[in-house]
Amino acid sequence: MTTPGTQVVAAASTAVVTCPSHVGHAPSVEVQCGRAIPAFDTTARVDAILTALAGRPEVTLTAPGSYGLAPIRRVHEAGLVEFLRTAWASAEPPRDGIDLVFADTFFHDRLRQGMGPLTHGGGGALGRYCFDTITGVGPSTWEAAAASVDTALTAAELTLRGAPLAVGLCRPPGHHVGPELFGGGCYLNNAGIAAQWLRDGGVSRVAVLDLDFHHGNGTQALFYDRADVLYASLHGDPERHYPYFTGWPDETGAGEGSGCTVNLPLPPRVGGDDYLDLLDTATGRILDGGFEAVVVSLGFDTYDGDVSGDAALTTADYRRIGRHVAGLGLPTVALLEGGYSVTVLGDNLWSWIEGFRAEQGERP
């Protein structure tokens, strides 16, 4: 499917799909440990990237197309999608004087212990579908999240049309969203939707390589029992880091998907050499499995000093990581996830792209 916003990109340049509607999601705060703190995921993140990429002849900035709800519904349950579409308008109590609504009561499986599954709607829908207090919903959050999906799908389409790499500046990010739960500052799973879209477009086996500092619990849940989509993640150890309840090495998939989930927790203050050793394990699984395309959940919260993690990667390390991913020799869709050191975020992304392009140029 070709959409009006999609451009044919010259082989010599790398497509970077923009996400203009991301500005509609502008959270002022998130709540951690009961404290309202300045939100990590600000509009300044994308602004910094666009500034760093401006004028680079190696990059072609590309507008996203429009793909509608069908690809979203291929991955997410109807109840979650409908809730997100109407969450702000239906929020209770009234929204006077606030720019975000947060869950304050959460559905827990033991809340109804012995009573069977929940079949009623109830007034606490936000706490039914959201699993944390980090993720508020604002008046244009749905529109921004849906546009972020369009950005991911446009990048995926470009790879189907022959681009070796397409980058999507997705915001809000997405890898914490499962079939019917959202959180972690994410609302729709951009990488998961893109992976399924590639499958529906004829790619027989897709790998999702998650390089965000935090475990992509949502992406793992989407594909945990499937053999056609591999999920491999390098992330902060759940003993220390969000989302705490997923991401251990013994989570390897279930049923037909047994062995198709790879979790590689990072040691504290991991540096480039050790990180690349772990990355080699993940990419080795991708190569051994005969996968035909890779979707990268590309987070830069592994940067030394990032407020949300304890890794110690440098801008130069991202160039090495980009080269390593390019070494797979597979069509690659790279989608922005986290990364909150705004002053270096654009340089870090460019370093990753530059490394990928360098390796690509050296391949026969």
Side-chain angles (χ1 to χ4, degrees):
M1 175 176 61
T2 302
T3 54
T6 306
Q7 304 173 17
V8 176
V9 179
S13 66
T14 295
V16 176
V17 186
T18 60
C19 188
S21 296
H22 84 94
V23 296
H25 179 63
S28 56
V29 298
E30 56 188 63
V31 180
Q32 293 194 23
C33 297
R35 294 179 298 116
I37 64 173
F40 289 172
D41 182 27
T42 65
T43 59
R45 298 176 63 234
V46 173
D47 293 341
I49 291 171
L50 293 175
T51 297
L53 298 182
R56 293 192 182 276
E58 303 92 342
V59 167
T60 299
L61 296 180
T62 305
S66 179
Y67 293 79
L69 289 177
I72 296 172
R73 289 173 171 155
R74 286 285 287 135
V75 164
H76 295 302
E77 298 292 338
L80 171 63
V81 176
E82 185 59 24
F83 167 74
L84 288 170
R85 288 181 64 241
T86 61
W88 176 258
S90 61
E92 294 290 344
R95 302 173 304 281
D96 298 343
I98 62 171
D99 61 356
L100 294 166
V101 291
F102 291 90
D104 58 18
T105 306
F106 296 90
F107 177 66
H108 191 287
D109 57 359
R110 285 183 291 228
L111 188 63
R112 291 182 51 82
Q113 191 165 1
M115 291 180 279
L118 179 66
T119 59
H120 306 285
L126 188 54
R128 179 176 180 177
Y129 291 107
C130 185
F131 63 83
D132 65 19
T133 60
I134 293 171
T135 314
V137 175
S140 297
T141 294
W142 164 255
E143 289 78 10
S148 191
V149 169
D150 285 338
T151 297
L153 292 175
T154 303
E157 181 176 347
L158 287 167
T159 63
L160 281 184
R161 295 169 60 192
L165 170 66
V167 178
L169 300 184
C170 295
R171 185 183 170 274
H175 73 150
H176 291 302
V177 189
E180 55 182 343
L181 282 177
F182 74 98
C186 305
Y187 304 88
L188 297 169
N189 196 312
N190 306 307
I193 294 167
Q196 183 62 54
W197 195 86
L198 289 171
R199 284 287 293 111
D200 293 341
V203 181
S204 63
R205 305 196 79 202
V206 179
V208 180
L209 178 61
D210 196 331
L211 304 183
D212 187 271
F213 180 79
H214 303 93
H215 183 244
N217 59 287
T219 313
Q220 174 170 292
L222 290 176
F223 302 113
Y224 201 63
D225 60 356
R226 290 173 52 172
D228 59 333
V229 180
L230 174 80
Y231 177 70
S233 175
L234 283 66
H235 53 268
D237 194 317
E239 292 288 350
R240 307 188 314 277
H241 294 291
Y242 181 95
Y244 302 111
F245 303 114
T246 64
W248 281 278
D250 62 358
E251 296 165 15
T252 59
E256 293 183 1
S258 180
C260 289
T261 294
V262 182
N263 284 306
L264 301 165
L266 302 170
R269 299 294 299 163
V270 64
D273 290 342
D274 290 337
Y275 188 94
L276 285 166
D277 286 344
L278 289 169
L279 180 58
D280 191 57
T281 298
T283 55
R285 292 291 295 275
I286 295 171
L287 288 171
D288 291 344
F291 293 90
E292 298 177 357
V294 60
V295 177
V296 181
S297 279
L298 188 55
F300 294 96
D301 37 7
T302 47
Y303 184 73
D304 189 6
D306 192 283
V307 68
S308 71
D310 66 4
L313 300 188
T314 66
T315 300
D317 288 328
Y318 293 118
R319 190 177 196 279
R320 299 165 66 195
I321 294 167
R323 290 196 71 133
H324 198 101
V325 175
L328 289 167
L330 298 175
T332 301
V333 182
L335 305 177
L336 183 66
E337 296 281 0
Y340 308 104
S341 296
V342 174
T343 57
V344 294
L345 181 57
D347 292 337
N348 288 342
L349 176 60
W350 168 244
S351 183
W352 191 92
I353 294 172
E354 190 178 38
F356 190 103
R357 289 174 55 85
E359 178 67 21
Q360 176 195 344
E362 293 176 7
R363 293 182 64 84

